[in-house]
């Protein structure tokens, strides 16, 4: 049942993003930013955790889950390091994902063939 909940929740988050693309004049970059900020705000308020408990990776994998991860890291670092944790916690908690994205993008760039836009 967890797999179904995960699939449906991740799908609904993606549907929401697609509806924002289709029905608004928001650019994809603004929608991406909106999802990250929503994840940070919901994570900071403790409202994203119940969704993570319910849907597992279906809520953690979309970009809103990245925002929640940053908020959790910031809260932990704030407790441990004080005010300085506001600046270091988000990146410290998300460093693995950011590092993987950079390295995998490098490999994709080396392997892939670039084409000019027409």
């Amino acid at each position: 049942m967890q797999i179904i909940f995960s699939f449906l929740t991740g799908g609904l988050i993606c549907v929401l993003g697609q509806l924002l693309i289709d029905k608004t004049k928001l650019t994809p970059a603004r929608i991406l930013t909106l999802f990250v900020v929503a994840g940070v705000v919901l994570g900071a308020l403790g409202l994203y955790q119940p969704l993570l408990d319910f849907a597992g990776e279906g809520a953690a994998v979309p970009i809103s889950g990245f925002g929640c991860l940053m908020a959790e890291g910031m809260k932990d670092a704030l407790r441990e390091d004080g005010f300085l944790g506001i600046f270091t916690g988000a990146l410290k908690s998300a460093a693995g994902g950011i590092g993987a994205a950079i390295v995998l993008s490098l490999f994709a760039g080396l392997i892939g063939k670039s084409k000019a836009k027409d």
Side-chain angles (χ1 to χ4, degrees):
M1 212 52 194
Q2 181 67 35
I3 293 172
I4 293 170
F5 292 148
S6 180
F7 177 78
L8 291 175
T9 303
L12 286 174
I13 292 171
C14 293
V15 165
L16 177 62
Q18 189 63 48
L19 286 172
L20 288 172
I21 289 171
D22 292 344
K23 301 295 183 186
T24 69
K25 293 188 184 276
L26 293 172
T27 63
R30 288 188 177 170
I31 293 169
L32 176 89
T33 304
L34 176 71
F35 276 7
V36 171
V37 171
V40 168
V41 170
L42 292 173
L45 296 174
L47 300 174
Y48 207 82
Q49 190 59 46
L51 184 61
L52 288 169
D53 294 341
F54 172 75
E57 295 304 311
V61 171
I63 196 71
S64 55
F66 177 72
C68 178
L69 174 70
M70 290 175 55
E72 291 299 318
M74 193 179 302
K75 285 193 302 190
D76 292 342
L78 187 59
R79 275 191 296 274
E80 294 172 9
D81 303 330
F83 183 74
L84 187 60
I86 293 173
F87 304 106
T88 62
L91 291 177
K92 195 183 300 182
S93 68
I98 294 169
I102 292 170
V103 170
L104 293 174
S105 296
L106 173 67
F107 287 141
L110 292 173
I111 294 170
K113 204 180 223 184
S114 63
K115 295 188 237 177
K117 283 187 172 181
D118 291 331

